[in-house]
Amino acid sequence: MAAAVEFAKSPAEVLKVGPGFSLAGVDPQSTPGYPGAKADGKALLAAQDDRLAGLQEQLFAEGKFGSSKRLLLILQAMDTAGKGGIVSHVVGAMDPQGVHLAAFKAPTEEEKSHDFLWRIEKQTPAAGMVGVFDRSHYEDVLIHRVHAWADGQELERRYAAINEFEARLAEQGTTIVKVMLNISKDEQKERLIARLDDPAKHWKYSRGDLAERAYWDDYMAAYDIAFEKTSTEVAPWHVVPANKKWYARIAVQQLLLDALGGLELDWPKADFDVAAERALVAAS
């Protein structure tokens, strides 16, 4: 069997938000850093599942023996961009006992009575865990800016609070991978129509998706501001072109592999006499 086509350039480098970044300069149809076609990408995704699962298991094992290392994947996107597909096809390769998924919907009345980070704090990953945020605290600076639910002073406070929050997580041992899945407005239209044409997907459709679509340009501007304000050294943003679902999945998979690989994980050393225990088991 031929070897899977790998990335020519690391997604951590080519997709990272830098100074002067603008979503207008990103082609959602592109596949930065990857020279292969769709079939190659699907093969790569499958080929690296075991490696991803292995690294996650090492992280989980280290956490059981006192390591403070953990990982948090933050997924942000417009509706239909493929967050669920990332959870199913990428995160799904990991052992569920070592993954904590939090999907943030509209806040409840209780959550509204607290600061916006209150409900987020409760869902951050424990030591040894991989946390996944399907939407996140960034909703509180995106939709609130688009609909003017918060004024400029409050938005600036929230950007600063987010940076402080993420810096604190990093100090506690959390590696943060922030991803915005970037689809085009035309692609979103096709995906919404596809949902309506498939009875098995009707449950996914909401008129609210259509209502927010009318603010597309405002959301793009809000994302650009969020990137400028909150792409930091300890928690940089990565914008993943997502018109091609297969590319988005391998790009996020590689970001996770790179992040976990950078943790220099290893299996915990036995604190007992392995030979003696083996002899006892053999004699049992």
Side-chain angles (χ1 to χ4, degrees), residues 7 9 16 36-37 55 65-67 74 79-80 86 114 119 126 158 166 182 212 214 219 224 242 256 259 274 278 283:
F7 276 88
K9 294 183 180 179
K16 184 177 178 180
L55 287 168
F65 286 83
S67 171
I74 296 173
D79 294 308
T80 77
I86 297 296
H114 296 270
R119 65 174 183 161
R158 293 184 184 186
E166 292 177 352
N182 183 32
E212 292 305 304
Y219 272 106
D224 274 338
L256 292 176
V274 176
R278 189 181 188 282

Side-chain angles (χ1 to χ4, degrees), residues 102-213:
F104 293 99
K105 307 298 183 182
T108 64
E109 290 304 313
E110 180 188 14
E111 290 167 344
K112 288 178 182 177
S113 70
H114 296 270
D115 188 63
F116 76 104
L117 287 172
W118 180 78
R119 65 174 183 161
I120 308 296
E121 294 263 15
K122 298 192 295 182
Q123 301 293 346
T124 55
M129 297 291 290
V130 172
V132 182
F133 284 178
D134 181 346
R135 299 191 187 279
S136 68
H137 41 296
Y138 285 96
E139 292 296 297
D140 294 279
V141 293
L142 293 167
I143 192 169
H144 283 252
R145 175 174 285 277
V146 168
H147 292 290
W149 294 345
D151 61 24
Q153 183 177 356
E154 173 60 13
L155 288 169
E156 290 299 324
R157 183 192 75 82
R158 293 184 184 186
Y159 294 130
I162 286 171
N163 288 338
E164 292 171 4
F165 166 63
E166 292 177 352
R168 176 160 38 89
L169 289 183
E171 289 174 1
Q172 294 169 350
T174 306
T175 295
I176 303 171
V177 179
K178 295 193 298 198
V179 171
M180 187 269 191
L181 299 174
N182 183 32
I183 61 170
S184 66
K185 191 176 183 181
D186 287 343
E187 178 67 17
Q188 188 195 54
K189 179 188 288 188
E190 290 185 16
R191 294 184 185 185
L192 288 172
I193 290 173
R195 284 183 179 179
L196 292 169
D197 289 344
D198 183 356
K201 299 290 180 65
H202 286 175
W203 67 274
K204 287 187 173 184
Y205 180 77
S206 168
R207 177 67 69 82
D209 297 344
L210 188 60
E212 292 305 304
R213 178 175 162 79

